[in-house]
Amino acid sequence: FNTVVRAQSFSFAFFALFFYLLERARNGSTRLLLLTIPVTALWANLHGGFVTGVMLIFGYAVGRLLLGEAKGAARLAGLGTGCFAASILNPYGVAYWRYLADALFMPRPEIIEWRHAELSIMGDIHVLIALLFVLFVWVTGKKIRPDSDLLVLGAAVAATLHIRFTPFFGLTIAVLLSS
């Protein structure tokens, strides 16, 4: 994807770390989840992609609600709020959030990774990945949980809106297939 280390590389690594911690918590090991708060503060200073980690936490919270686990959902929502608050620890404070909101919706037709995905089976990696995911689930008989379905859907939508989110979609599917 990149020939040099760019700031977004930190987002891929931290997103994977958040997924790891959240999956451990799903399996009962919640001790390390609090690490997400200081990691978010660091991540926010390295790249604006910290928002994907916070959204992942809230995605897990909504997933817990779908499973009828209100107490777990509330804990994760509190954690996500703490992470979002930790992101203010940057040189720009709250102004950084306004910048990120503007940057996300700023049209950049000349930059390929910020374009919308073209939804054609032969020319779109997102559709291919989704088809492979569905095929894998069908062939193996793997049961997907409603909370996982929500995460896959959210990652697919993000990857369709901007090509640059495709690695997050790939990570999401890889993690959920292995759990």
Side-chain angles (χ1 to χ4, degrees):
F1 186 71
N2 294 316
T3 57
V4 296
V5 175
R6 294 174 54 189
Q8 66 203 42
S9 299
F10 293 109
S11 287
F12 301 147
F14 288 132
F15 186 78
L17 173 65
F18 275 39
F19 238 133
Y20 171 75
L21 295 173
L22 287 161
E23 281 297 304
R24 281 182 54 117
R26 179 191 272 183
N27 296 322
S29 180
T30 59
R31 287 181 327 146
L32 297 176
L33 268 183
L34 286 177
L35 286 175
T36 58
I37 294 173
V39 168
T40 300
L42 173 64
W43 188 356
N45 282 278
L46 295 171
H47 189 250
F50 76 89
V51 176
T52 61
V54 175
M55 290 179 69
L56 185 62
I57 293 170
F58 282 114
Y60 269 81
V62 171
R64 290 280 174 91
L65 276 178
L66 289 174
L67 295 171
E69 301 172 14
K71 195 173 186 179
R75 282 192 197 122
L76 285 171
L79 180 68
T81 302
C83 287
F84 188 68
S87 70
I88 199 170
L89 300 174
N90 68 74
Y92 309 103
V94 177
Y96 186 44
W97 295 341
R98 286 190 295 271
Y99 163 77
L100 290 175
D102 291 342
L104 184 61
F105 296 104
M106 180 188 316
R108 300 179 183 115
E110 70 285 354
I111 303 173
I112 292 173
E113 65 189 41
W114 278 103
R115 291 183 188 164
H116 297 290
E118 296 178 23
L119 296 177
S120 66
I121 292 176
M122 296 307 289
D124 184 31
I125 191 70
H126 310 99
V127 174
L128 180 62
I129 292 171
L131 288 174
L132 289 173
F133 177 71
V134 170
L135 180 65
F136 177 86
V137 169
W138 179 67
V139 168
T140 63
K142 184 173 180 59
K143 298 217 185 301
I144 302 298
R145 297 167 43 139
D147 53 341
S148 296
D149 291 344
L150 174 75
L151 295 171
V152 170
L153 178 63
V157 167
T160 302
L161 291 175
H162 295 295
I163 292 170
R164 84 173 311 157
F165 294 119
T166 301
F168 297 105
F169 180 50
L171 282 167
T172 301
I173 288 179
V175 167
L176 296 177
L177 285 179
S178 67
S179 63

